[in-house]
Amino acid sequence: MLYLIHHHIFALFIGILCWSPSLSAHDEFYPHHQEDFESLTRLRELQGTVLLITAAFLGILTILIYFGFQKSKKEPDEPDESVQTRLSTAATAAAKTAQQVRSANGTISEAIEAALATYAEASGIVWRTSTGVKGNTVRCKIGSDIIMLSIHVDSDTEIVRLRAERGFPYEVNAVVELRVRRNRE
């Protein structure tokens, strides 16, 4: 698609160049009319003004580019430790909440909803629980974090796995996996 746009622009440019009417001029190179001398005098007078305006424009452009690069250097290259700590703390609290709900004979849906609400609360975000969680795995976005929560139940073990990711500009994640051996009754 981009190739076609560039191709059309190039063809339009060539067409304009070929279409322009031919230019005609005097045979002599030096000025020989009174109007030609007056325009040369006026041109010399404007030359200083044009140079001044060009220098001012280049100066302003240089300053803008300089400040643009300075601002981009101030952005952190590596994630702040507080982001990693917040992800880990919120993920751990949410996984423990899911485990507690399951230990109290709650359903997997209830455990997932409680874990998501706990994660949101630990992150300082208001979360409205939904009653439509089906299955044992959910992926959602809370604030700017992406949460993947799964609860798997085997015959004697229950695994709560929560992965929290923070994308651009950091690429930070935290993974919490809790295993609980269930008693057979």
Side-chain angles (χ1 to χ4, degrees):
M1 180 71 181
L2 191 59
Y3 170 76
L4 291 175
I5 292 171
H6 287 286
H7 181 70
H8 287 4
I9 291 173
F10 180 73
L12 181 65
F13 180 70
I14 295 297
I16 290 172
L17 285 177
C18 293
W19 174 76
S20 63
S22 61
L23 299 174
S24 61
H26 293 291
D27 292 339
E28 293 93 15
F29 175 72
Y30 57 91
H32 59 279
H33 295 291
Q34 182 67 25
E35 299 88 30
D36 294 339
F37 286 110
E38 288 174 1
S39 64
L40 285 177
T41 307
R42 177 76 177 135
L43 181 65
R44 286 188 186 123
E45 291 173 0
L46 290 177
Q47 190 174 15
T49 306
V50 170
L51 286 174
L52 182 65
I53 290 172
T54 303
F57 172 74
L58 290 176
I60 291 171
L61 187 62
T62 303
I63 290 170
L64 289 175
I65 291 172
Y66 173 76
F67 283 122
F69 280 126
Q70 288 296 335
K71 188 166 184 101
S72 68
K73 288 180 182 177
K74 290 180 183 177
E75 293 178 3
D77 292 334
E78 295 184 18
D80 193 339
E81 287 183 27
S82 64
V83 173
Q84 181 68 47
T85 303
R86 184 188 60 76
L87 284 177
S88 298
T89 303
T92 302
K96 286 182 179 179
T97 299
Q99 183 184 30
Q100 291 170 353
V101 170
R102 287 293 295 155
S103 295
N105 293 325
T107 65
I108 291 177
S109 297
E110 292 170 342
I112 288 174
E113 288 178 10
L116 294 176
T118 301
Y119 186 92
E121 183 180 324
S123 297
I125 297 169
V126 177
W127 179 260
R128 294 185 189 125
T129 58
S130 65
T131 57
V133 176
K134 292 182 172 61
N136 61 349
T137 303
V138 67
R139 183 177 192 268
C140 65
K141 188 170 185 178
I142 297 177
S144 57
D145 302 342
I146 298 172
I147 311 303
M148 290 160 279
L149 174 63
S150 63
I151 301 175
H152 296 285
V153 179
D154 292 334
S155 59
D156 62 345
T157 306
E158 185 168 292
I159 301 169
V160 176
R161 186 171 196 272
L162 190 139
R163 178 181 176 98
E165 294 179 351
R166 178 74 183 261
F168 180 79
Y170 300 124
E171 301 298 329
V172 179
N173 65 47
V175 178
V176 176
E177 186 171 296
L178 300 176
R179 293 176 182 264
V180 177
R181 191 164 290 271
R182 297 187 63 84
N183 295 331
R184 290 188 177 184
E185 295 180 34

